[in-house]
Amino acid sequence: MLKNIERLREAVAVHPKSVSEDSCGTIKRPFRLRIWHTGAVVFLLLGCPSWADTPTNEQEWAANVKIALARNLGPPVNFKDVDKDQLVRLRMKVLRDGSVRNVTVERSSGHREVDQAAIAMVNRTGRLPSFTADMKDPEIEIVLPVTIMVARHATPKVAPAEASGRQYNHPGTGFTLDVPVLFEIVRPRKASNYDILVDVVSLLNSPPVAGTSKALCGVGFKASPQNAGLSQDMIDAPDAIQARIDAMKKVQSILQSRIEETRMFDQHGAKGIEFVIAPGLGPDHENARQYISLLDLPRGRISVSCATRLDAMPKALDEFRAIRDGAALK
């Protein structure tokens, strides 16, 4: 086992949609993946992973691992006394040379033959790609949840992944959120400044979380009764937008933070504002950056707040914007 495992940060698994050869040209079977690591940042691109013959960075390595494992997740056969879907959670260690060690069952399905079949799937993968130069850890532990759908009088197969963890609908406000593949929605709740607030976590800690929060982003909605009599054009008037920008500057000044970028964006027929902020307080704040977006509508405001490391922010912006674009009012 890895040393100091209590310090390891959990990268929460999501439920990607099925991937087909037609759309990706590589793999057919969906799967889920989680990695615990001691500090190295794993960047994983959204969408279909592409195979790199010799991965040159951790991003390519993670994509190759996904493909290598998925190619070998074939369905086990000849189960006895198994008539419903089964979930097996496997744990394995990957060494720097790509060797896979200690494949064990972290959480059993309750059926020994199903557990052993899932282990055999991973063993068929053999050696994974060697670590790249930017991967500093001597070893990485992977937890692989394998969901197997078992039908009576039918050949068992790997079940399609569920999408429920990527979608949220709040009936009281009409607020909805649909996050991209490789992200998951957790902890919907009411908060002091929001009618509804949800956390968004990322698979493989990519982009990496900055600060002490376990969530990468918070997405919330707050009703604005004062906007009820206003049209969207009135809300998006230049003076109204400037007033919101000035208000954000004031808030960040109080927090001893600095706004580095301010941009406009269009969403749902409205004009939103996004900010990249250098925090002035908090642990290691010099190496952190915050993304905030505000979308004001007649019914209220949709806000997104994400935090990552300074060096990760340039690549993270597209992912933060993808999360932002999934928020709406129905």
Side-chain angles (χ1 to χ4, degrees):
M1 298 294 291
L2 290 175
K3 295 180 179 179
N4 300 323
I5 194 168
E6 66 276 7
R7 299 181 183 177
L8 302 183
R9 175 176 292 166
E10 177 176 340
V12 182
V14 299
H15 313 277
K17 295 180 179 178
S18 298
V19 180
S20 68
E21 284 188 348
D22 291 339
S23 62
C24 296
T26 50
I27 58 178
K28 283 186 176 181
R29 303 182 184 94
F31 71 108
R32 303 186 296 165
L33 177 67
R34 296 196 293 181
I35 289 182
W36 279 262
H37 53 85
T38 59
V41 179
V42 178
F43 290 101
L44 188 62
L45 294 177
L46 296 176
C48 301
S50 59
W51 179 269
D53 291 336
T54 304
T56 59
N57 55 49
E58 197 164 8
Q59 175 180 327
E60 293 180 356
W61 183 88
N64 281 19
V65 168
K66 286 186 63 177
I67 293 170
L69 288 171
R71 281 175 173 169
N72 289 280
L73 292 183
V77 295
N78 298 326
F79 291 141
K80 295 180 180 179
D81 302 322
V82 179
D83 59 0
K84 63 180 181 179
D85 295 356
Q86 302 295 318
L87 174 64
V88 185
R89 196 177 300 272
L90 303 178
R91 179 184 291 268
M92 68 201 75
K93 181 186 296 184
V94 183
L95 307 183
R96 290 199 62 83
D97 64 355
S99 301
V100 178
R101 297 287 187 270
N102 302 337
V103 182
T104 60
V105 175
E106 183 185 65
R107 184 180 301 171
S108 173
S109 66
H111 299 274
R112 184 177 180 277
E113 65 272 28
V114 175
D115 296 348
Q116 292 302 314
I119 291 175
M121 294 178 194
V122 175
N123 288 337
R124 283 195 297 269
T125 304
R127 188 184 297 269
L128 296 172
S130 300
F131 288 7
T132 54
D134 58 335
M135 298 173 67
K136 305 303 182 183
D137 293 337
E139 56 192 33
I140 289 177
E141 278 201 332
I142 294 178
V143 170
L144 180 70
V146 180
T147 302
I148 300 175
M149 185 167 61
V150 179
R152 292 175 182 243
H153 312 299
T155 301
K157 61 181 180 180
V158 179
E162 299 175 358
S164 59
R166 293 176 41 223
Q167 298 175 339
Y168 177 75
N169 177 30
H170 186 250
T173 61
F175 168 75
T176 66
L177 180 62
D178 188 349
V179 297
V181 172
L182 305 180
F183 294 90
E184 188 172 49
I185 297 167
V186 297
R187 295 185 64 228
R189 62 196 184 280
K190 187 171 183 178
S192 57
N193 295 322
Y194 299 94
D195 296 326
I196 182 65
L197 177 67
V198 300
D199 289 342
V200 178
V201 295
S202 66
L203 177 65
L204 300 181
N205 192 30
S206 170
V209 176
T212 58
S213 174
K214 293 183 179 180
L216 178 67
C217 297
V219 184
F221 172 74
K222 176 69 173 178
S224 302
Q226 68 273 17
N227 288 356
L230 303 179
S231 67
Q232 191 63 56
D233 287 342
M234 296 171 68
I235 293 173
D236 291 343
D239 58 341
I241 290 175
Q242 187 59 51
R244 294 197 287 276
I245 293 175
D246 292 342
M248 177 62 73
K249 289 180 178 178
K250 184 176 181 179
V251 169
Q252 297 304 322
S253 176
I254 294 172
L255 296 174
Q256 302 179 34
S257 300
R258 183 180 74 259
I259 297 177
E260 295 184 330
E261 297 180 33
T262 302
R263 296 183 183 180
M264 305 298 300
F265 64 91
D266 294 321
Q267 185 175 344
H268 309 311
K271 293 188 180 299
I273 314 167
E274 66 176 19
F275 306 89
V276 175
I277 298 168
L281 302 172
D284 198 31
H285 63 271
E286 301 90 347
N287 295 314
R289 287 299 181 269
Q290 185 179 15
Y291 172 87
I292 294 179
S293 72
L294 307 176
L295 184 68
D296 283 85
L297 305 165
R299 290 164 55 189
R301 168 179 286 180
I302 297 175
S303 304
V304 178
S305 177
C306 308
T308 189
R309 295 207 311 249
L310 171 62
D311 58 349
M313 179 57 89
K315 291 183 178 179
L317 277 173
D318 285 343
E319 295 175 279
F320 294 158
R321 289 165 180 156
I323 293 171
R324 176 200 73 195
D325 291 345
L329 293 180
K330 301 297 186 182

